[in-house]
Amino acid sequence: MIIEKNHIVKNYVNGEWYVPKGDLLDVTNPTTGEVIAKVPLSDKNEVDKSVHIAHKAFLTWRKTPPVERSRYLYKLQQLFEKNFEHIVGLVMLELGKSYADSKGEVMRALENIEVAAGTPTLMQGYNSEDIARDIDEYAIRRPLGVMMAIGPYNFPSMIPFWFAPYAVATGNTFILKSSEKVPLTSEFMVKLVEEAGFPKGVFNLVNGSKDAVDALIENPLVRGVSFVGSSNVAHSIYIKAAEHGKRAQCQGGACNFIVIMPDSPLDKCADNIVNSFYACAGQRCLAGQNLVIVGDKARYEEVKTRMTTIVKNLTVGVPDDKNADFGAVISPEHKQSIIEKINQAEKDGANIILDGRNFVLKGFENGYFLGTTLIEFPKNMFQHSTVHEEIFGPVMNLLSADTYEEAVELLESNPYGNAANIYTQSGYYARRFAYEVHGGNVGINIGVPAPVPHFPFGGMKRSFFGILHGQGQDVIEFMTEKQIVIQRFYKED
Ligand code: NAD
């Protein structure tokens, strides 16, 4: 067993591992429904203690030269490589994600460490000589102090590393508050941070839920808040952070549209489209939710038939099953919320082509599995809540549009703007699409347009609150503040 029996997840503060006082919450394996661990819900006292320690550590850490700080990341990178399969195993265990998808996300965490190690160059400032006679001006990027990140459940290894390595590499100290639904991966990754030898108090882990988040934001020594999760929470955190005078980058939920144009070759693109909707059981913020088929009736039927055939043959299974296309969803409550969205669509007149609501995986009857669902919406239902609100499950909605313009109008009527995808061979329509839509991550014949670490992870409209995103040069800007120095020296007499 990858986790010992009766495991209690620990906080890591000031280089010490311990279980804080207070309530414990069950951590469940979504594949079996079994409780596999308990996670503490840290209270305000605990949070304030960790912030105080992180602040104290900052006073020394910020003086450590950037090249030296990067050396800790090189060590961490090696430890991630060495323990790669173990991290993958934890993601599979607590999230129920397939081996291939778990591997993909851990790889992205690793790549973020690699990119952050370039901080000595990435955080360089700039200067101008002679802005006035004998006067020079320069801008220095300085760390801010204690930075914190709050993660969602669906990428337990990758998302904390959109922020963590950059925060510490730029000279800040850091507190991670991972999702209480998937705390095991974070706990292990922070053990690797410890092994890499970071000085005490530089990198801290505080477990908990809303109360811990509130206490972190309210603490005056916390300077910046990085958040990834659902839109309503992202929005409330953005407001709270502003009230408390700190910078925030809050990445929210999604409801993504994929437009398929009449010229798109189904033989080449159909599998890629299907993967966007169903891999990770649809629990990706870049997953497709709505497929808008552009063209006449014959084209609509052609795409619908192809999608139905592929989707019908997808395999739902446990994470170790190499043939499984996806596994369970995170919780019984989330499973029920997906079922209710399908129920509502059906009740209001949508056609359920494939119905995954009653799916049971033999031998795993207590797991939170759903089969594949494919729903066809008539035109008068194109503004339905099941089309425009995030489902985050293994569901594809089919919609039609006579023209490209009609498809874009439908997409743009949606309040979210995380991903927007088009499948076409036409450079003209591809360019127009990227130019016209409000999608933070645009895919052109790409089902999941996930930015690599040296690009920011986009997001627009209700999918993002802030200016600077995670990853890329954005995160370096976010983790540093610019100080401007204007100087002159008089000739000594
Ligand atoms: P969530 O909003 O329920 O929780 C995210 C984090 O916020 C957790 O750590 C949780 O403890 C904390 N939290 C929850 N409610 C809170 C509250 N009221 N006040 C303060 N903190 C609170 O999200 P989730 O269900 O864990 O994750 C799924 C969501 O995340 C989906 O909406 C998905 O689209 C989104 N997501 C977005 C991106 C992106 O880059 N835009 C990436 C991954 C996931």
Side-chain angles (χ1 to χ4, degrees):
M1 185 68 172
I2 195 163
I3 281 287
E4 83 273 15
K5 222 168 171 280
N6 302 324
H7 180 75
I8 302 180
V9 179
K10 295 186 177 65
N11 283 6
Y12 179 72
V13 177
N14 204 21
E16 308 280 336
W17 290 97
Y18 61 93
V19 179
K21 287 195 200 112
D23 295 341
L24 296 173
L25 195 72
D26 288 344
V27 181
T28 308
N29 176 350
T31 305
T32 61
E34 284 164 356
V35 173
I36 44 173
K38 290 195 183 288
V39 61
L41 299 178
S42 304
D43 62 12
K44 184 168 163 40
N45 278 342
E46 177 57 32
V47 165
D48 287 347
K49 187 183 86 186
S50 67
V51 175
H52 175 74
I53 281 163
H55 178 68
K56 221 170 122 214
F58 170 68
L59 303 176
T60 315
W61 182 242
R62 72 155 289 193
K63 294 183 182 156
T64 310
V67 276
E68 264 182 53
R69 296 197 297 253
S70 284
R71 271 180 219 133
Y72 293 98
L73 292 177
Y74 292 129
K75 281 189 206 146
L76 185 60
Q77 191 268 1
Q78 284 165 14
L79 289 164
F80 257 65
E81 276 194 341
K82 192 171 143 203
N83 293 278
F84 191 86
E85 290 299 325
H86 190 80
I87 309 173
V88 170
L90 286 167
V91 175
M92 289 160 71
L93 174 72
E94 63 181 350
L95 183 54
K97 219 183 228 183
S98 73
Y99 176 71
D101 287 327
S102 302
K103 225 170 116 176
E105 80 148 285
V106 179
M107 184 50 83
R108 192 47 62 82
L110 182 64
E111 289 165 359
N112 270 288
I113 299 172
E114 288 162 350
V115 172
T119 295
T121 313
L122 294 172
M123 76 178 292
Q124 278 178 332
Y126 48 91
N127 68 294
S128 285
E129 196 178 50
D130 290 331
I131 54 142
R133 190 166 298 277
D134 293 334
I135 300 180
D136 305 324
E137 178 164 344
Y138 53 94
I140 306 165
R141 272 188 233 277
R142 295 156 44 126
L144 288 116
V146 182
M147 303 299 272
M148 63 178 266
I150 308 153
Y153 77 80
N154 63 328
F155 282 96
S157 74
M158 175 182 81
I159 287 180
F161 280 74
W162 282 356
F163 312 106
Y166 304 97
V168 294
T170 48
N172 300 285
T173 51
F174 181 71
I175 300 178
L176 173 62
K177 205 301 287 171
S178 285
S179 167
E180 63 278 26
K181 293 175 190 152
V182 290
L184 301 170
T185 308
S186 283
E187 186 186 43
F188 182 72
M189 293 191 304
V190 176
K191 284 195 175 135
L192 301 182
V193 168
E194 181 187 29
E195 206 178 325
F198 282 87
K200 287 180 181 180
V202 169
F203 198 125
N204 306 280
L205 174 69
V206 171
N207 291 286
S209 56
K210 181 181 184 319
D211 289 350
V213 173
D214 286 345
L216 279 164
I217 300 175
E218 284 161 15
N219 190 304
L221 291 174
V222 170
R223 297 288 317 276
V225 181
S226 304
F227 172 88
V228 183
S230 55
S231 284
N232 287 345
V233 180
H235 189 229
S236 70
I237 286 182
Y238 192 58
I239 291 170
K240 196 176 178 71
E243 266 171 11
H244 288 269
K246 42 204 74 177
R247 56 176 67 187
Q249 46 178 187
C250 299
Q251 309 209 179
C255 177
N256 304 317
F257 286 68
I258 295 185
V259 174
I260 177 165
M261 295 294 285
D263 65 343
S264 191
L266 279 180
D267 282 347
K268 298 205 167 106
C269 71
D271 286 323
N272 188 254
I273 292 174
V274 167
N275 175 283
S276 172
F277 286 81
Y278 295 96
C280 307
Q283 299 172 108
R284 287 193 289 204
C285 66
L286 296 176
Q289 175 168 322
N290 300 301
L291 181 62
V292 187
I293 304 164
V294 179
D296 60 15
K297 181 94 184 98
R299 173 65 173 177
Y300 178 82
E301 289 302 326
E302 184 197 8
V303 177
K304 173 178 146 184
T305 306
R306 181 64 73 100
M307 291 299 145
T308 310
T309 310
I310 302 174
V311 174
K312 209 176 359 187
N313 288 318
L314 292 180
T315 306
V316 184
V318 299
D320 308 314
D321 177 356
K322 297 269 183 327
N323 296 318
D325 293 291
F326 64 90
V329 298
I330 188 69
S331 64
E333 296 77 23
H334 186 51
K335 175 175 169 176
Q336 190 53 33
S337 88
I338 297 166
I339 291 174
E340 275 160 23
K341 289 189 179 93
I342 303 168
N343 290 347
Q344 194 60 50
E346 185 179 43
K347 185 164 160 263
D348 294 338
N351 175 26
I352 312 291
I353 301 172
L354 297 173
D355 187 353
R357 283 173 289 188
N358 297 317
F359 177 86
V360 176
L361 185 67
K362 209 159 174 279
F364 293 87
E365 288 76 7
N366 295 327
Y368 316 136
F369 290 94
L370 281 166
T372 49
T373 295
L374 186 59
I375 312 177
E376 182 177 40
F377 283 81
K379 268 208 156 77
N380 65 353
M381 285 182 71
F382 279 10
Q383 289 302 323
H384 195 269
S385 58
T386 304
V387 174
H388 287 280
E389 283 170 18
E390 184 174 38
I391 300 176
F392 223 51
V395 179
M396 180 191 282
N397 295 330
L398 291 184
L399 305 119
S400 62
D402 294 335
T403 60
Y404 160 85
E405 287 79 8
E406 211 180 298
V408 168
E409 197 181 321
L410 175 58
L411 182 161
E412 285 288 279
S413 71
N414 185 266
Y416 297 91
N418 215 37
N421 310 24
I422 189 165
Y423 283 77
T424 183
Q425 294 290 84
S426 156
Y428 170 75
Y429 280 115
R431 184 182 181 278
R432 262 187 77 179
F433 186 78
Y435 193 84
E436 289 172 355
V437 300
H438 290 84
N441 306 287
V442 170
I444 296 171
N445 300 313
I446 301 284
V448 181
V452 293
H454 41 294
F455 282 83
F457 194 100
M460 292 178 181
K461 303 204 277 187
R462 271 191 76 72
S463 296
F464 182 66
F465 303 95
I467 300 167
L468 299 166
H469 298 77
Q471 297 197 149
Q473 195 60 40
D474 270 27
V475 76
I476 301 290
E477 289 282 343
F478 185 81
M479 297 295 174
T480 54
E481 60 188 345
K482 283 192 270 319
Q483 183 180 55
I484 308 301
V485 179
I486 302 178
Q487 68 177 29
R488 75 169 149 212
F489 296 96
Y490 300 109
K491 186 167 184 285
E492 283 172 33
D493 293 329

